[in-house]
Amino acid sequence: MDQSKKTLVNPETNVYNLSGKTLPKTSVFVTKIYLKRFDVVEIHALGDTISKAVRMAEYLQRQDYVTIEKINTFTQKFEDNRSKVKIVVTLKVTANGKKRVNEEIKQ
């Protein structure tokens, strides 16, 4: 049986670069780890991952973990003349959310 390799998530900045390969449930859990460490978290997503970032932010807001402070969109240009749409969702943890995150995440 092949088990996925688990690594300790210890964010140094409040920026979470969302990956399209990460499962939604895992992304929400990782975001909660960021929320435990920082009061304001930015979720950055490119291209097809944008819808996943928006759904995740809306879910966390509906569950009263965060309030969505700001949503920015722009075009990210790369060195090889490619460009992709990028979104930055700024989340601020609520008082209730901070309490719940501290209870859920034992790190």
Side-chain angles (χ1 to χ4, degrees):
M1 185 154 73
D2 185 31
Q3 291 182 341
S4 62
K5 190 175 182 179
K6 294 183 181 181
T7 58
L8 183 65
V9 176
N10 190 15
E12 294 182 11
T13 67
N14 70 333
V15 175
Y16 176 32
N17 290 308
L18 192 59
S19 169
K21 296 177 183 176
T22 308
L23 296 172
K25 205 173 192 181
T26 305
S27 298
V28 169
F29 181 75
V30 171
T31 303
K32 288 178 183 179
I33 293 172
Y34 276 76
L35 290 170
K36 181 174 180 169
R37 184 130 187 215
F38 304 102
D39 288 338
V40 177
V41 175
E42 291 182 358
I43 299 173
H44 292 225
L46 285 170
D48 295 336
T49 312
I50 289 174
S51 61
K52 183 177 178 181
V54 171
R55 279 194 313 265
M56 194 172 70
E58 287 178 338
Y59 170 80
L60 289 167
Q61 182 170 282
R62 275 194 312 269
Q63 298 298 317
D64 195 33
Y65 283 98
V66 299
T67 56
I68 298 173
E69 293 288 304
K70 185 171 34 170
I71 298 175
N72 289 330
T73 58
F74 55 94
T75 303
Q76 176 83 40
K77 298 197 187 283
F78 297 97
E79 293 175 4
D80 58 355
N81 292 331
R82 292 182 305 129
S83 61
K84 281 193 169 187
V85 177
K86 181 173 184 174
I87 192 169
V88 177
V89 182
T90 306
L91 306 175
K92 185 174 181 183
V93 69
T94 62
N96 184 37
K98 192 70 163 178
K99 181 179 147 206
R100 290 172 60 195
V101 165
N102 285 331
E103 291 171 359
E104 291 175 23
I105 310 293
K106 306 291 183 202
Q107 235 185 20

